[in-house]
Structure formats: structure tokens, C-alpha cells
Amino acid sequence: MMTLEHLAEERQPVWIVPAPLVVWALHFLACYVTAALWCGPAVGTAPGGAALGNTALAGLPLALFTIYTLASMLALLALIRMGYRAHTLGDASPPHDADSPADRHRFIGYATLLIAGLSLVAVIYSAMAVFMVQTCQ
Amino acid sequence: MRVQGGAASVAACVLIGGAAGCAGVQSALDPGGDEAATVARLFWTMTAGALVIWAGVVALGWYYGRPHEEAPSPRRDRWLILGSGVVFPVTVLTALLAYGLWMLPPLVSRAPEGSLTVEVVGEQWWWRVRYLDATGAPLVELANEIRLPVGEPVQFRLSSDNVIHSFWIPSLGGKMDMIPGRTTYLTLHPTRVGTFAGACAEYCGTAHGYMRFMVDVMDPAAFDGWLAGQRQVAVEPQTPETQRGRDVLRRAGCGACHTVRGTSADGLIGPDLTHVGSRMSLGAAGLSTDAATLERWVSAPERLKPGVHMPAFQMMGSDDIRALAAYLERLE
């Protein structure tokens, strides 16, 4: 049976700590690029004042934003769960600063949990902007 | 006592100086339109909220700064930190973001079909203003001045063919960028008769600070009368001096850049001068349109507006310049 002392970093890789930030960045980039591609051709004005091209972020881009947001939130919830499980391993409370493999494991989990929580809030804020404004203006 | 008196003077100056921004022709806190009222409401809501939060933080600091006899409670402290450091800020920021985003769509939505449409083009460094008919064709062109009927929506079509400008009438609504290669739109609903000031809100070059304009919100009947007057061609000069001024305008080549409808001057580079004498200001710089200022402007515009693209015409001679200024002043 595995003991707490066997939990070296190789069983809890460090890349998990910045992973939530990467999810946040990808969500932002995907929303930004989609909006830019959809709204970009809306240049010029037809006689009578109507704009040429797309002026509303509705239909296809909105469906894409929904997919990006749900996928990002699922990934972040999974990272929150992984972080929480590592953070609550055994019987210890923060700051997890003992020089032991178990505390390193808990510390990485705790950091992941906090960063994933922040990233989840950030993704929700980006999504709010997209879903509440819905215009290329 | 002297220190207290000094502190009171400083506080009075800050209050009076701050209060000066609460009213006036260019104050976002003295709304004359629906959109500006929305922005002002957001400002006051945030100010009140910030004061409440500030008082709460000071109260917490005062409470925890006092000596306590009871044993510390790590559990309570942890919840306090989590609550006031994470849950509360996230809740407040989420509410503010939702409120701000909820305000945006009406600000950028289009005016109803058939509304007054005004095209404004950002030039360096002045505003070309065109009133359009229902088909989008220009009815009349003027510069650095916009007149609007009170109580009616107005659709602005904004563009630029040089650099990015930003069109802002703080008392009537939020600002909107004018981006080369794009047309942007702004809808405003003026609710109060009055004169307001607008400005370029995006640094656009040397004379950016002199890129201002005036907005006159009028009764609809007065507006219709004004627009009909603007559609008339320039008045014929009646006196020998103004007739000489008209001849100077023709001879000196002013028509290469300026239009005076009803004459041979049909240039499109500079502002339309057909009714320049009736405008509220000159050169987008808040200058008067009287003959003396017009004379100084024609002689050496650079002195009145550093960076202006119009060349000086001092070589014409003072008599010709005076006659030209008299003619322009009479173009009402």
C-alpha cells in the first residue's frame, strides 16, 4: 500500500499549477478570435446607412462561445477537484510548508485549487461580456 | 490652530474644485440626455458603494486594532479572510460588471427607423458634420457644430479617414471611437434644451486639444427652422466691403479648400463656410466668429490654433483680409 511519504512530485506534476491559467487564456483567445473573425468584415456603409457585414454577435458565434465556455468551465472544475483532493490528502492544514513529499503534494494541490478558482471567475467574467453585449459595435 | 485652518482650506479647495466638475456644459455629471443620465447613475452608485466599503474596511481595521482579551479564534479569522478577501470582492465585482454590461446594449443600439441621422467625420483637427436625409444623402454640411431637436433620438454615423478620434459629448452620453476604415454608430436622446460642449477623447495629434465642438439642443420647431436656414445658399453681400470680401475669396483661391454654396467656391478639404458667420465657434478652438477673430485667423491661423493645416494668408494685405473677414462674418 502506498504511504503519504511515497507521494513525490513525479506523481503530482508541477504543470498542473499553471494549467488553469492556460485554460483561461485559451478561452479568452478563442472568444476574441471568433468575435474578430465574425465582426471584422463589417466595414463600410450601404446607401441608407445600413452597415455592411455582421453587426450582431448572434447565431453561430454565440453557439461557439457557449461551447468554449462550457468546455473551459468543465476543465476548471476538474482541476479544482484534483487540487482539492491533493490539498486535503491525509490530515494537515495549510500552509503545507513542511519539507516532505506529502506536504509538497498538498501545496501543489492547494495552489492549483486557488488558481483554478480565480480562472473560473475570470472565464465567467469573459463569458458575461460576450453573452450580455452580443454586438459587434 | 494654524494647521487646522490650513487643513480646512485644503479640504475646502478640494471640495470646491471637485464640485466644479459636477455642472457645466461639458460635465458627465450634469446630464442633458438619457445616455448621460445612465452613466451619471452608474457613477453615483459606484461612489456610494465605494464609501460604504471604505467605511466597512475602516471599521474592521479599528475593531481588530484594539487590544482583545478573548483568545484568538483561527477558525473565525479564516472565515473572515475568506469572506472579506474572496467572497465579498468577487460578489461586488460581479454585480458591478453585470450592471455595466447591462447598460451597454442600449447605448450602442440603433435609433428607430426615420430618426434624424447625422454623419460626423473626424478630420485633423476639426469635425465635418453632415445632416443626412432618409436615403443617406447629405442635406447640409457644416463644421464643429451640431444642433439637435430635444426629446427625439438622433443617430450618429461616425468615421475618420486619417487617425483614430473619439466623439464625446459628456452631457449627452458616452464616447464612441471613430476608426479609419470603419463606420461606428452612436445613438443619443437629448432630454434638455441647452448648449453643451463636445471634444475629441482620443489623442489624435498636435491640435488634439483644439478639437472641440458645440452642441445646441433646441425645440423641434426651432431646429426645423435652423435646418431650413442651413440649406439655403450663402447670402449675397450687400455692402461694398463685403462685396470686396467675396471677390477676395474668389481671387485668393479659398474655394480650392472651402465651399461657400451659391458661389464658385466648392472645395472639400476644409470646412464648409456657407453659414460660418452664424456658428457658435471658429476653428474647433472655441474662438468667436466675429470679424476681428476671422481677420486674425486668415492672417495667421497657426497663432490661434497651433498645428492647424490651413496656411497663413498674410500676403493678401490687411485691407483684403479685413474685407474677407467682414464677408465671412456676414455669412449667417
Side-chain angles (χ1 to χ4, degrees), chain B residues 132-146:
Chain B
L132 307 180
D133 66 12
T135 64
L139 282 174
V140 64
E141 179 173 319
L142 59 156
N144 310 319
E145 182 170 311
I146 295 168

Side-chain angles (χ1 to χ4, degrees), chain B residues 120-304:
Chain B
V120 183
V121 182
E123 303 282 351
Q124 280 181 316
W125 289 268
W126 57 283
W127 309 86
R128 189 187 297 275
V129 178
R130 291 193 188 105
Y131 285 74
L132 307 180
D133 66 12
T135 64
L139 282 174
V140 64
E141 179 173 319
L142 59 156
N144 310 319
E145 182 170 311
I146 295 168
R147 300 201 188 209
L148 303 171
V150 70
E152 293 177 18
V154 54
Q155 178 70 70
F156 285 102
R157 271 172 52 180
L158 309 171
S159 59
S160 163
D161 58 4
N162 41 79
V163 297
I164 296 178
H165 302 279
S166 189
F167 178 82
W168 192 23
I169 314 166
S171 299
L172 296 188
K175 55 192 166 191
M176 181 61 74
D177 280 0
M178 310 166 104
I179 303 163
R182 289 191 76 101
T183 303
T184 50
Y185 297 84
L186 180 71
T187 307
L188 296 177
H189 297 75
T191 53
R192 176 160 64 86
V193 169
T195 303
F196 306 101
C200 180
E202 180 80 37
Y203 179 73
C204 57
T206 312
H208 164 69
Y210 290 100
M211 193 166 165
R212 306 202 293 267
F213 61 101
M214 299 304 292
V215 182
D216 195 6
V217 178
M218 320 163 82
D219 283 322
F223 171 78
D224 291 341
W226 170 81
L227 192 59
Q230 289 292 312
R231 296 183 68 182
Q232 303 295 317
V233 296
V235 290
E236 278 297 313
Q238 302 296 324
T239 64
E241 188 179 41
T242 52
Q243 283 165 352
R244 176 178 173 175
R246 179 196 53 195
D247 296 341
V248 170
L249 181 123
R250 194 179 299 147
R251 203 172 57 237
C254 304
C257 292
H258 296 285
T259 291
V260 179
R261 279 178 282 123
T263 74
S264 58
D266 57 358
L268 297 173
I269 296 170
D272 185 303
L273 300 177
T274 308
H275 299 287
V276 66
S278 66
R279 291 206 188 125
M280 289 184 277
S281 72
L282 179 71
L287 300 166
S288 154
T289 52
D290 58 36
T293 311
L294 283 161
E295 202 178 323
R296 288 168 60 209
W297 179 270
V298 174
S299 306
E302 178 78 23
R303 286 196 186 162
L304 298 179

